[in-house]
Amino acid sequence: MATDKLPIIAIVVPCYNEEKALPLSVPKMLEILERLNKMGLADKASYILLCNDGSKDRTWGIIERLHLQDTRIKGISLAHNRGHQNVLLAGLMTAKDHCDAAISIDADLQDDPEAIISMVHKFHEGKEIVYGVRSSRETDTWFKRNTAHAFYTFQNIMGLETVYDHADYRLMSNRALDLLSQYGESNLFLRGIIPQIGLKNAIVTYARSERVAGESKYPFTKMLSFSIDGITSFSARPMRWIFMTGIVLLAVDILVALYVLISYFFSDHISAGWASLMLSIWALGSMILIAIGVVGEYIGKIFIEVKHRPRYAISDRLWD
Ligand code: UDP
Ligand code: MG
């Protein structure tokens, strides 16, 4: 980086039904930009890009108003609700050619914006990807905290490499964004893709707080399907495991067959066998269903990928 020119930092914010949170979080982010500029870490042309994900409330109206008040606030709006990962990609790709580094952050201030300053410091030290990692989850409910940890562990066991306790709060240099733009898959799981990009990276920790306003759009069911998406987009390990289970079951089967044959020839009483029969029918039935389900997951992925559908459509843009 040239020392005479300060980097332009873009703060990219996905917004879905955030009419209550934006009026609180945007001023805080503007204050951070001002401080970065005073500290000589970011150019005055640094900006906030608010990305409306087809909200049903007044979110876009608020973004338009904020843009009129301050040109450092820019906006894009998706034609439909495409989900957090897609709208985030739309924002990052829009910012890509207009910034030196982009920081993605949620609209609800759960990710402490103060960490942006440490991220930009790391960027000046030459890091190209800086992951925001939660130092504690005290403000999450007991249930959310434990299910989230179970998900990370499960994903890692299943062969999906992610940064522990890192969500989508991170800084990416222009080069990292360019590399990200080369990933063509439709099933986007940014937390899995970005560690694969490589480049020099670092971690910044922060305390995760409660939402400033509005409510979470990630209930348990959405988290579960997000986690399954992550695993099946990145690893074929579940399929391998099913195959191995099949082999082990086959070995057990041979032993059982031997036992049955021996008792058939050498035992003179016939057991009722009803319970074991029912048990095995149920056990095998469920295992077969699980196996078909896993195969189905991958076929579903292939089905979606071959279509090469565009992942988002930007309908409006507030820039200069
Ligand atoms: N979000 C989005 N589209 C969606 C759902 C969520 O853009 O379909 C945004 C939301 O506005 C927020 C971020 O993604 O800025 C994270 O969502 P949320 O805070 O509801 O999730 P949680 O923090 O509870 O996991
Ligand atoms: Mg949140």
Side-chain angles (χ1 to χ4, degrees):
M1 201 189 318
T3 43
D4 51 336
K5 201 180 160 299
L6 292 174
I8 295 179
I9 305 291
I11 300 181
V12 179
V13 191
C15 310
Y16 178 58
N17 295 347
E18 297 287 10
E19 60 179 13
K20 292 206 188 87
L22 283 181
L24 300 167
S25 51
V26 169
K28 179 73 198 162
M29 292 174 193
L30 281 174
E31 185 216 309
I32 299 278
L33 281 187
E34 257 151 43
R35 268 163 59 201
L36 281 172
N37 184 248
K38 284 211 187 91
M39 292 161 85
L41 293 172
D43 194 89
K44 268 203 160 59
S46 298
Y47 58 93
I48 301 173
L49 177 57
L50 301 172
C51 313
N52 175 36
D53 187 14
S55 298
K56 295 189 183 70
D57 64 1
R58 292 179 299 117
T59 298
W60 183 242
I62 290 171
I63 295 174
E64 283 177 319
R65 203 189 68 217
L66 289 167
H67 172 70
L68 286 179
Q69 287 168 0
D70 194 324
T71 51
R72 286 174 301 172
I73 297 166
K74 304 184 191 299
I76 56 167
S77 185
L78 298 195
H80 297 283
N81 177 241
R82 298 291 287 116
H84 175 246
Q85 300 286 289
N86 284 311
V87 72
L88 187 54
L89 185 76
L92 292 174
M93 291 303 114
T94 304
K96 180 168 77 80
D97 299 322
H98 308 279
C99 70
D100 295 289
I103 296 168
S104 48
I105 184 169
D106 288 352
D108 55 12
L109 291 189
Q110 282 196 282
D111 306 324
D112 182 8
E114 293 290 329
I116 290 178
I117 293 178
S118 329
M119 287 182 180
V120 175
H121 268 299
K122 298 269 185 213
F123 176 65
H124 280 268
E125 288 164 15
K127 305 289 192 254
E128 301 218 36
I129 301 177
V130 186
Y131 299 101
V133 169
R134 294 167 199 175
S135 57
S136 80
R137 278 179 176 264
E138 268 152 37
T139 55
D140 279 350
T141 60
W142 181 90
F143 183 74
K144 175 115 187 173
R145 192 163 59 229
N146 284 283
T147 47
H149 277 170
F151 281 138
Y152 282 109
T153 313
F154 183 59
Q155 286 173 351
N156 280 326
I157 293 171
M158 283 294 178
L160 167 64
E161 265 177 55
T162 51
V163 178
Y164 198 68
D165 259 352
H166 159 68
D168 282 300
Y169 186 22
R170 72 177 83 82
L171 175 145
M172 293 178 80
S173 72
N174 194 281
R175 189 153 68 118
L177 291 172
D178 253 338
L179 291 169
L180 174 65
S181 71
Q182 292 168 22
Y183 285 74
E185 62 220 79
S186 308
N187 273 291
L188 260 199
F189 190 73
L190 292 171
R191 292 169 215 184
I193 293 174
I194 287 158
Q196 288 192 352
I197 293 177
L199 298 178
K200 275 195 200 153
N201 56 73
I203 278 174
V204 160
T205 53
Y206 67 96
R208 171 122 163 139
S209 41
E210 283 177 53
R211 246 182 183 275
V212 279
E215 56 215 32
S216 171
K217 282 101 201 166
Y218 272 99
F220 178 72
T221 44
K222 246 190 172 176
M223 248 169 83
L224 184 66
S225 77
F226 190 49
S227 183
I228 292 175
D229 262 357
I231 292 165
T232 51
S233 305
F234 277 88
S235 123
R237 211 175 274 188
M239 287 212 276
R240 168 71 56 86
W241 281 12
I242 290 215
F243 180 69
M244 300 299 254
T245 314
I247 303 241
V248 171
L249 275 184
L250 194 69
V252 175
D253 215 31
I254 292 170
L255 292 179
V256 170
L258 274 176
Y259 172 74
V260 169
L261 278 176
I262 291 167
S263 9
Y264 182 78
F265 286 114
F266 300 102
S267 167
D268 46 4
H269 66 273
I270 299 158
S271 65
W274 184 82
S276 56
L277 201 64
M278 287 306 275
L279 276 178
S280 50
I281 287 173
W282 280 92
L284 284 175
S286 58
M287 273 186 280
I288 290 168
L289 276 186
I290 291 171
I292 294 174
V294 173
V295 174
E297 273 285 330
Y298 287 96
I299 294 178
K301 289 260 139 69
I302 296 167
F303 176 65
I304 302 288
E305 293 298 341
V306 292
K307 287 198 233 238
H308 278 294
R309 284 181 173 163
R311 284 169 295 201
Y312 52 80
I314 296 175
S315 60
D316 293 291
R317 197 178 145 107
L318 301 168
W319 202 264
D320 299 311

